[in-house]
C-alpha cells in the first residue's frame, strides 16, 4: 500500500522535489521559518512580493480574523528589490532552498524593471508575477481584474526576462471570467499560473463602527476560501489543461493539498496555515505523500487534474 | 541556521492548573525544557478552539513566569484575561487538557549588568511578566519599585509571592476600588526623580506606554516597554504587527512587534505614527 | 441605556417592522420554520426562487460542508409559479407574514412572465429578482455576471409589473465590477438591491476523486463569506447611497447583522444560519436590538451605512 | 399553526452517559418531555464542535430508543459511529456536557394495528432504531424477527436488552467475524416466505435498502425503510436531502428525506434515479 511516492513536480522548465511551496507574503523571505524546518525540505520558498523601492505598506490594524479565515491589508511592505537581492536571495541559496521570487508593481514599466533585475540573479527557479496590485496608470484598477492590463504586464516581463526563467502569473479570483484572464496572460508568455490570490473582503468593527482595517478592505485567505480556490483551479485547468498551475487558497492539511492537485494544480502553496502552525508545510507534505500512496499513485504528477478524467 | 525565532519550538503541553484570580485566569503549563530559553518579556502563541475550530490564528500571551524547580519539571505561568472567543476558550480549559504552544517568542527585557534602580510599571494583565522580571533584577542586586494600574481593582494582578520581589508596590485604579484613584502616570516624574530611577520597564495598553515615553522624554531614564499589537503569526512571517520605529538616521521603519518586539526601546517608537503610515523613506 | 429601538425599515415603498428577513432558498416557503417561531415576528419571509414551471433541480449530492460554510447546488427545485401562488402565498398571508417573492428565470421573457403573474397577487410586499441564473439564450452565462443581461431582466420585470411592487435585484458577487452591475439594474428600474448571492465554489471528494456535488460547482454560503458580503455592501452603498440594500451572506448573530447594516444594508436576510439554528432569525433580531440600544441608536435606520460617516 | 416539524423543539440537553460499544458510542441524553413525541424512525439533529466550531451544520442521528420511566425523567439513546469531525466530536463529549439538539424530526415507522409478522433488517448502526421499534411491535402483539448485517463484528450493534424484544435474531458479517458470513439480503426471500413476513422494516446503507426493495418487489411484503441522505438543515428548508419518489400518477417527485422521510415506502423510491435527475414532469 505504501510504496514511496515520487513527489517531484515541474512548473515550466523548473523542477521541484515536492509540490508543497510557501505562499508569497506568508513566509516573508524564509529566515523566520528556518527555525521550524530546513527550508530545502519543501518544494520552494515563494518570497513576499517585492517592488522596486522600499515600502512601508498600509496603516495598522492590518489584519482581522474572520470565521475560518482572515483579512490582511499589508500593502506590500518590503525592502525594495535591491536590498532583497543583496540580502535575502543569497541567504536562501545558501540554505539550498529553491527560490521563487514574487514581484509586484504599480505600472507595467515597474514590472519590467523588476524582471530586468532578476535576469542575472542565480539561484532563482522561477518568478511569480503578482498582478493583484492597483495600476496607478489606470484609475487604480487592479491589473489582474483587467484582461488587457494583465496581458501587458506579462508581455513586458516576458520580453525583459528572456526565455530562461519560468514566469508564473498570479491571478485574482475577483473577476467575472477567470479563464479569459488566464488565457490572456498565457498568450502573453506566462509559463504557469498561480491561483488564487486573496478574495476582497471587509470587516467592520462594531465598537468603532468603522472598517476595522487601516486599509478599509483586505484580502481574505485561509480555509474559508478553499472552495473558491478549488473551483478556480478546476475551471482554469479545464480551459487550459496544458498550463501548469500553482494552486493555493486555504490549504491547511494534506487532504486540502490533494483536493487542489486533483482539481488541476501541479504545485500547492501554503499561506495562512503557516500562521497557525509554523511546521504546516512539512505536516501537509507528509500527509499528502501518505494520501497519494494510499490511493495507489506512484507519482504525484499522476494525480494532477485527476478529477477531470472521463466519466467525472 | 535560524537567525530569527532562535529558541522557539512548537509543542503540545499540559495544563497543570487553571485558577481564577480577580478578572483573570492564572494558567500553569507543564512545558519541560522550554523554560530554559524563556526570558522575561518573551511571549507564547497558543492555538485556540480545539480540533474543529474556526479560529485559525494563534493567540499571544506574555509569559508571566517560568520555574524549573517545580515538582513537574519546567512550568510556565500565564495570566489570561477572558476577552474574545479565543481567550475565553483558553480560560475554559480544564486541568489536564493539552494545548498547542509555540514558545518562547519575541524579544526580552534587557537586564542591566550593574545594580541599577528600576521602576516596573504594569497596566492590567501587563503586570504579569513584571514579577518574573523583578525576580531577575533583584538577583542582580537592583532596586525594584513597581506601579500597577487598572480600571478597577479586579484587574490588578499582584500575587503575594510576586510582592516579595519588589521593594515597593503602588497600586492605582481609575475608579479607586483599590489603591489610589488615578493612573500610573499620575505622579510618575516625581517618583522617577525621588527614587533615582535609571530604567523603566513597562507593559500594558499602548496608550500607557506612549504616555510614559512622553513623560520621560526629557530625562535620562531608559524606557523598555513591551508593546501589544494585533498579531496573525507571532513569528515574523505576516507583517501584520508592525510599529513605526525611528532608525539611527532619523528615518522610520515599520518593525514587526513579534520579532523586533514585544520589548522595544520606548524612545524609538514613533507613537504619533501608530496606525498611520510614515512618509516613504526613499 | 436600553430604550426601545425602532427596528422598522423600508425597501422602496414597502415597510417592515424589523430588518431581519429569511434568505431566499433557506426557508423554503415558510411553513417549515413556523414550528420554531411565528412568521409574522420577523421582517419578512423571502420565499425560495420560483420559476415558471415545476423543476426537479440538480442531482444529489447537493451539499458539502466547508470550513465555516457550505456549498449547495439545489438547482432551483420548486413547484412552479402557479402552484406556488395557489398554495404557498395564501398560507403565508394567513399567518400575517410579510412576503417577498423571489423569482428566477432562464430567459428575459421568463422573468417578465413571472412578474406578470405576481402583478395581481395581494399580500406581497416586494419581489426579489434572482438574476444569478444561467441565461440559456447567452451560452448559459449567468445574467448577474453580465451588465447588459442584468439590465434587460430588470427592465422587463419593471415594465411588466407596473409601478406598485418594489423590485429588489439580487446580485452575484462573482463579478469584476459589482457597482457597475448595481448601477445598471438601478437604472433599469430596480428599487433596491439584494447582496450577496452565493460565491461560486467547488469541493472535490478525495475518496471518489471527483467533484463532490452532483452539479460539480455549487454556491458557497455561511460565515465564511461574510467578509465578502460586507465588502460588497460597503462598495455598493458608497457608489449608490440612496438605493436600499437587502444584505446577506454569513449572518449568524446580531453582531453580524449589525456589521452589514453599518456597511449599508437596510435589511438583513439570514440564510444558512437557519440550518444550524432554526430560531436563528429571532435570536439575531433580539441581539441586534440590544446592540443598537447599547450604542445609543433610537432607530435601526440611523445605523444604516453608519460606517461610511465622515472621518471614517 | 405549524404543519411541518410539528413536534420539533430545540433544546440544550445533558449527556448522561457515553459508552463505547464495539465500533460505536452509545450516548444517553436527558431530554425531558421531548420523549413524549419521539417515535421509532424519528431522528435528532445535533449541533457539533462547540462555541468556536467551523462546523456550521447539524448532524443527524436516528433516535435509538427513548424511555420515560428512568430515574432522570425522559432519556434518549443514540448509537453514534465516529465517522468524520462532527460525529467524532460528539463521541468525545463527556458525561455532563450540554449539547444542542432539535428533535424529534422526520417520519416514523408505521405501526400496524393488527398483530402482523414483521422482519426488521439493520445494517451497521442502522439497527439502532430497530430495537425501539421491536418493543412497540411486540407490545402490539406482532411477531418480530431481526436480521443484522455489517462489514465486521464490531459494527454489529445488538444490545442484550434489545435481543429480548425479538423472536429471532440472525447476524451476518461480510468477513465472517460474527454470525454468518455474507449479507442480510443473502437468504432474504426464503426467510420472508418461511416466516410469512407481512412487513419489512429496514434501516442501513442505501445500497441495502435498494437491494431489499428489489428482492421483495414481486411479493406482497410492505417495505418501510429509513433512508440516509446528506442533510444540511434536517427541517425541510434547504432541499439538499431529496430522493426521487414515484407519485400515484407515475411521475416522479424529488422529496425531502428529512420531512417526507427518513421512513419511506421502499417501493415508491426510485432507487435507479438516486443521484440523477428525473425527466421534467411537466
Ligand atoms: C505580545 C502580546 C502579549 C500579550 N499578553 C497577554 C497576556 O499576558 N494576557 C492577556 O490576557 N492577553 C495578552 N495579550 C492579548 C491577547 O493576545 C488577546 O487578548 C487575545 O489575542 C484576544 O483573543 P480573543 O480570541 O479572545 O479575542 P478576539 O477579539 O476575538 O480576537 C480576534 C483577533 O484579534 C487578535 N487580538 C484581539 N485583541 C488583541 C490584543 N489585545 N492584542 C493582540 N491581538 C489581539 C486576536 O489574536 C485574534 O487574532 C497579549 C498580546 C500580545 C500581542
Ligand atoms: C436520518 C439520518 C439518521 C442517521 N442516523 C445515524 C445514527 O444513528 N448513527 C450514526 O452514527 N450515524 C447516523 N447518520 C449518519 C450521520 O448523520 C453522519 O455519520 C454524520 O452526519 C457525519 O458527520 P461527520 O461530521 O462525522 O462527517 P463528515 O463527513 O465530516 O460530515 C460532513 C457533512 O456531510 C454530512 N454527512 C456525512 N456523512 C453523512 C451520512 N452518512 N448521512 C448524512 N449526512 C452525512 C454531515 O452531516 C456533514 O454535513 C444518520 C444520518 C441521517 C441522515
Ligand atoms: C498576510 C498575507 C500577505 C500576503 N502577501 C502577498 C504578497 O505579497 N504577494 C502575493 O502574491 N500574495 C500575497 N498573499 C496571498 C497569498 O500568497 C495567497 O495567495 C492567499 O493568502 C491564499 O492562500 P492561503 O489561504 O493559503 O493563505 C498574502 C496573504 C496573506 C495572508
Ligand atoms: C441551500 C441554499 C439554497 C439557496 N437558494 C436560493 C434561491 O433559490 N434563490 C436565491 O436568490 N438565493 C438562494 N440562495 C442564496 C441565499 O439566499 C443567500 O444569498 C446566500 O446563501 C448567502 O446568505 P447566507 O450565508 O446567510 O446563507 C440559497 C442558499 C442556500 C444555502
Ligand atoms: S505577527 Fe506576523 S509578522 Fe508579527
Ligand atoms: S435537510 Fe434541508 S430540506 Fe432536508
Amino acid at each position: 500500500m505504501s510504496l514511496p511516492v515520487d513527489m517531484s513536480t515541474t512548473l515550466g522548465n523548473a523542477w521541484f522535489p515536492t509540490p508543497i511551496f510557501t505562499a508569497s507574503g506568508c513566509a516573508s523571505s524564509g529566515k523566520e521559518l528556518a527555525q521550524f524546518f530546513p527550508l530545502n525540505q519543501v518544494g520552494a520558498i515563494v518570497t513576499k512580493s517585492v517592488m522596486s523601492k522600499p515600502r512601508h505598506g498600509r496603516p495598522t490594524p492590518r489584519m482581522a480574523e474572520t470565521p475560518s479565515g482572515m483579512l490582511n491589508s499589508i500593502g506590500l511592505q518590503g525592502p525594495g528589490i535591491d536590498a532583497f537581492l543583496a540580502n535575502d536571495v543569497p541567504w536562501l541559496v545558501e540554505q539550498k532552498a529553491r527560490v521563487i521570487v514574487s514581484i509586484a508593481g504599480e505600472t507595467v514599466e515597474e514590472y519590467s524593471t523588476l524582471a530586468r533585475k532578476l535576469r542575472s540573479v542565480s539561484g532563482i527557479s522561477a518568478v511569480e508575477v503578482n498582478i493583484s496590485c492597483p495600476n496607478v496608470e489606470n484609475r487604480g484598477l487592479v491589473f489582474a481584474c483587467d484582461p488587457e492590463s494583465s496581458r501587458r504586464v506579462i508581455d513586458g516581463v516576458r520580453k525583459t526576462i528572456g526565455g530562461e526563467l519560468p514566469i508564473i502569473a498570479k491571478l485574482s479570483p475577483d473577476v467575472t471570467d477567470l479563464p479569459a484572464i488566464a488565457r490572456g496572460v498565457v498568450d502573453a508568455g506566462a509559463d504557469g499560473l498561480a491561483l488564487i490570490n486573496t478574495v476582497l473582503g471587509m470587516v467592520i468593527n462594531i465598537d468603532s463602527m468603522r472598517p476595522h482595517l487601516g486599509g478599509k478592505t483586505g484580502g481574505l485567505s485561509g480555509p474559508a476560501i478553499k472552495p473558491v480556490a478549488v473551483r478556480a483551479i478546476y475551471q482554469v485547468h479545464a480551459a487550459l489543461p496544458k498550463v501548469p498551475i500553482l494552486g493555493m487558497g486555504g490549504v491547511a492539511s494534506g487532504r486540502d493539498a490533494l483536493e487542489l492537485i486533483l482539481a488541476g494544480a501541479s504545485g500547492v502553496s501554503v499561506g495562512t496555515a503557516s500562521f497557525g502552525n509554523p511546521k504546516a508545510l512539512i505536516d501537509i507534505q507528509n500527509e499528502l505523500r501518505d494520501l497519494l500512496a494510499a490511493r495507489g499513485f506512484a507519482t504525484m504528477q499522476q494525480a494532477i487534474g485527476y478529477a477531470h478524467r472521463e466519466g467525472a | 541556521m535560524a537567525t530569527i525565532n532562535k529558541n522557539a519550538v512548537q509543542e503540545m503541553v499540559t495544563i497543570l492548573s487553571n485558577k481564577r484570580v480577580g478578572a483573570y485566569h492564572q494558567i500553569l503549563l507543564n512545558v519541560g525544557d522550554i523554560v530554559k530559553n524563556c526570558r522575561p518579556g518573551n511571549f507564547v502563541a497558543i492555538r485556540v478552539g480545539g480540533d474543529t475550530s474556526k479560529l485559525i490564528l494563534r493567540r499571544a500571551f506574555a509569559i508571566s513566569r517560568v520555574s524549573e524547580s517545580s515538582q513537574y519539571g519546567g512550568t510556565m505561568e500565564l495570566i489570561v484575561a477572558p476577552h474574545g472567543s479565543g481567550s475565553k476558550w483558553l480560560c475554559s480549559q480544564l486541568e489536564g487538557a493539552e494545548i498547542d504552544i509555540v514558545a518562547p517568542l519575541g524579544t526580552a527585557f534587557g537586564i542591566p549588568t550593574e545594580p541599577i534602580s528600576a521602576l516596573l510599571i504594569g497596566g492590567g494583565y501587563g503586570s504579569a511578566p513584571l514579577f518574573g522580571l523583578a525576580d531577575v533584577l533583584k538577583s542582580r542586586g537592583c532596586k525594584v519599585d513597581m506601579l500597577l494600574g487598572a480600571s478597577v481593582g479586579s484587574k490588578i494582578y499582584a500575587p503575594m509571592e510576586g510582592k516579595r520581589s519588589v521593594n515597593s508596590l503602588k497600586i492605582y485604579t481609575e475608579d479607586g476600588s483599590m489603591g489610589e484613584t488615578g493612573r500610573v502616570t499620575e505622579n510618575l516624574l516625581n517618583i522617577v526623580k525621588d527614587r533615582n530611577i535609571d530604567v523603566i520597564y513597562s507593559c500594558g495598553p499602548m496608550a500607557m506606554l506612549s504616555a510614559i515615553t512622553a513623560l520621560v522624554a526629557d530625562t535620562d531614564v531608559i524606557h523598555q516597554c513591551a508593546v501589544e499589537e494585533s498579531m496573525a503569526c507571532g513569528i515574523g512571517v505576516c507583517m501584520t504587527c508592525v510599529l513605526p520605529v525611528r532608525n539611527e538616521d532619523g528615518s522610520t521603519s515599520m518593525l514587526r512587534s513579534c520579532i523586533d518586539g514585544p520589548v522595544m526601546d520606548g524612545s524609538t517608537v514613533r507613537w504619533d505614527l501608530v496606525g498611520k503610515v510614515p512618509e516613504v523613506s526613499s
Side-chain angles (χ1 to χ4, degrees), chain A, chain B:
Chain A
M1 202 67 169
S2 272
L3 288 173
V5 178
D6 174 358
M7 295 285 277
S8 69
T9 193
T10 58
L11 295 172
N13 63 26
W15 180 93
F16 305 90
T18 95
I20 304 298
F21 299 10
T22 63
S24 178
C26 301
S28 197
S29 59
K31 285 198 180 79
E32 298 79 0
L33 289 179
Q35 166 71 11
F36 301 98
F37 59 87
L39 302 184
N40 62 9
Q41 293 203 354
V42 298
I45 303 299
V46 183
T47 57
K48 171 141 192 75
S49 299
V50 65
M51 303 186 73
S52 55
K53 300 241 174 74
R55 252 173 91 100
H56 285 309
R58 295 246 185 84
T60 54
R62 289 180 170 184
M63 75 102 176
E65 197 184 38
T66 68
S68 298
M70 67 172 279
L71 288 182
N72 86 79
S73 72
I74 308 300
L76 296 173
Q77 176 178 345
I81 185 78
D82 295 330
F84 171 77
L85 291 179
N87 306 323
D88 295 326
V89 173
W91 187 88
L92 285 167
V93 171
E94 209 174 279
Q95 310 303 309
K96 300 202 167 31
R98 284 147 301 273
V99 184
I100 297 181
V101 173
S102 169
I103 58 172
E106 291 182 322
T107 62
V108 171
E109 185 49 35
E110 182 172 359
Y111 283 98
S112 300
T113 307
L114 289 160
R116 191 169 313 117
K117 301 217 173 185
L118 290 182
R119 232 181 131 149
S120 51
V121 180
S122 63
I124 299 179
S125 298
V127 54
E128 191 176 273
V129 186
N130 173 8
I131 55 173
S132 300
C133 304
N135 179 350
V136 295
E137 295 165 330
N138 185 10
R139 297 168 292 124
L141 187 69
V142 171
F143 289 100
C145 288
D146 179 39
E148 179 53 23
S149 312
S150 304
R151 220 194 45 67
R152 284 180 53 222
V153 170
I154 300 302
D155 185 58
V157 171
R158 176 81 284 162
K159 291 203 172 116
T160 325
I161 216 162
E164 298 281 289
L165 217 51
I167 297 175
I168 303 163
K170 182 160 177 181
L171 306 184
S172 161
D174 293 324
V175 296
T176 310
D177 189 352
L178 187 57
I181 308 262
R183 220 173 273 119
V185 296
V186 168
D187 288 347
D191 302 285
L193 299 164
L195 299 171
I196 57 175
N197 215 315
T198 54
V199 176
L200 195 65
M202 182 186 267
V203 161
I204 288 174
N205 182 318
I206 64 165
D207 296 320
S208 71
M209 299 197 274
R210 300 190 186 275
H212 179 75
L213 297 176
K216 290 195 183 179
T217 58
L220 183 61
S221 64
I225 66 165
K226 195 186 61 180
V228 179
V230 172
R231 181 265 295 174
I233 293 164
Y234 188 93
Q235 271 185 335
V236 172
H237 186 71
L240 303 167
K242 292 197 179 128
V243 179
I245 294 172
L246 177 56
M248 65 206 67
V251 173
S253 68
R255 299 169 66 94
D256 299 336
L258 179 58
E259 223 185 308
L260 268 61
I261 290 169
L262 294 168
S266 294
V268 173
S269 275
V270 175
T272 307
S274 290
F275 303 170
N277 173 10
K279 285 193 295 252
L281 275 91
I282 299 293
D283 293 347
I284 290 169
Q285 190 162 288
N286 291 337
E287 195 189 329
L288 174 64
R289 185 184 283 113
D290 292 347
L291 290 168
L292 288 167
R295 282 156 184 75
F297 289 107
T299 73
M300 188 287 297
Q301 303 211 26
Q302 291 166 350
I304 298 170
Y306 194 67
H308 294 261
R309 70 194 184 278
E310 280 301 297
Chain B
M1 197 146 80
T3 51
I4 304 176
N5 299 315
K6 213 162 26 188
N7 296 309
V9 294
Q10 173 176 12
E11 235 167 71
M12 295 299 299
V13 303
T14 309
I15 294 185
L16 291 172
S17 70
N18 176 347
K19 294 191 203 117
R20 259 198 59 181
V21 181
Y24 306 122
H25 281 248
Q26 180 196 47
I27 296 177
L28 197 67
L29 305 173
N30 187 347
V31 299
D33 285 345
I34 292 177
V35 296
K36 297 210 169 75
N37 293 314
C38 296
R39 305 281 171 267
N42 291 158
F43 68 96
V44 55
I46 302 183
R47 194 166 196 143
V48 291
D51 286 345
T52 57
S53 180
K54 69 178 170 190
L55 310 175
I56 61 164
L57 303 173
R58 286 174 187 264
R59 302 311 196 243
F61 298 96
I63 297 171
S64 168
R65 64 167 82 211
V66 293
S67 148
E68 277 198 74
S69 55
S70 102
Q71 59 176 122
Y72 301 103
T75 61
M76 175 188 288
E77 183 194 86
L78 310 176
I79 304 303
V80 179
H83 169 75
S85 34
S87 51
K88 281 181 187 150
W89 177 88
L90 184 59
C91 290
S92 75
Q93 295 303 294
L94 305 176
E95 193 184 306
E98 297 253 295
I99 59 170
D100 176 344
I101 69 166
V102 176
L105 293 169
T107 53
F109 289 110
I111 305 299
T113 45
E114 324 246 291
I116 53 132
S117 286
L119 178 64
L120 280 48
I121 310 181
Y125 54 73
S127 61
L130 299 184
F131 292 100
L133 173 64
D135 283 341
V136 175
L137 292 173
K138 282 302 261 186
S139 73
R140 299 285 173 100
C142 299
K143 195 161 103 16
V144 180
D145 293 309
M146 190 182 273
L147 308 179
L148 300 183
S151 52
V152 295
S154 63
K155 295 195 174 166
I156 294 289
Y157 174 72
M160 271 304 162
E161 333 82 75
K163 290 179 193 163
R164 270 182 245 126
S165 29
V166 299
N167 295 74
S168 80
L169 169 65
K170 198 159 179 180
I171 288 173
Y172 295 87
T173 54
E174 290 181 33
D175 70 347
S177 56
M178 189 186 282
E180 295 191 28
T181 306
R183 300 189 168 178
V184 288
T185 43
E186 216 83 352
N187 201 25
L188 186 59
L189 276 187
N190 288 333
I191 295 173
V192 164
K193 213 181 296 163
D194 293 352
R195 307 201 180 172
N196 285 312
I197 298 299
D198 301 298
V199 182
I200 291 178
Y201 295 94
S202 69
C203 183
M206 297 291 269
M208 180 190 102
L209 310 184
S210 162
I212 296 171
T213 307
L215 283 170
V216 301
D218 299 328
T219 70
D220 287 337
V221 174
I222 293 170
H223 175 211
Q224 296 219 342
C225 58
V227 302
E228 188 180 304
E229 264 293 341
S230 220
M231 293 180 178
C233 75
I235 57 170
V237 294
C238 76
M239 312 296 283
T240 61
C241 62
V242 297
L243 274 184
V245 174
R246 192 180 290 104
N247 300 316
E248 307 254 301
D249 66 2
S251 66
T252 298
S253 290
M254 299 297 277
L255 295 191
R256 288 164 281 185
S257 61
C258 63
I259 57 173
D260 296 315
V263 179
M264 291 180 156
D265 177 344
S267 70
T268 67
V269 176
R270 298 209 46 193
W271 301 100
D272 55 318
L273 285 181
V274 171
K276 304 200 182 97
V277 185
E279 300 287 294
V280 176
S281 57
S282 77

